[in-house]
Amino acid sequence: MADKYDKAMAYLLAAETDEDFTERVWDAWRAPYDTDGGALFQHAGTGPDCGCLTSVRRGSFDAETPELTAAIRADERIPKYCADITRDNLPVFAEWQRRIDRELGRS
């Protein structure tokens, strides 16, 4: 059964052009809790210093735990900037969001 991350990927991947895909990603990345596709770009924790996967990867913010922060920063499959997100990256974002859900007890 499809979860919210599968649905977010489906929405983003339904973009007919690269321009439309980029716009959908940008909108979802900017407002991850309020947009279709945004589930992939939720913050990697609940604290004020927690950021999304791209911002944790580039070192601008942390994840909820030092272990998650280190693992995200080490994962070269995660782009450092929203502008670099491609269709091929979306399963990586889903994988990480599911892991964060499990580790933080997030639903």
Side-chain angles (χ1 to χ4, degrees), residues 35-70:
T35 57
D36 292 330
L40 295 173
F41 308 115
Q42 297 174 99
H43 290 183
T46 58
D49 294 331
C50 294
C52 67
L53 292 169
T54 56
S55 63
V56 173
R57 170 85 168 93
R58 80 172 165 270
S60 299
F61 288 90
D62 292 326
E64 185 76 18
T65 67
E67 295 80 17
L68 276 174
T69 300

Side-chain angles (χ1 to χ4, degrees), residues 2-22:
D3 66 8
K4 65 183 176 180
Y5 305 115
D6 292 325
K7 291 175 184 173
M9 282 192 292
Y11 168 77
L12 296 171
L13 291 171
E16 293 185 17
T17 66
D18 288 342
E19 235 174 58
D20 187 32
F21 174 77
T22 299

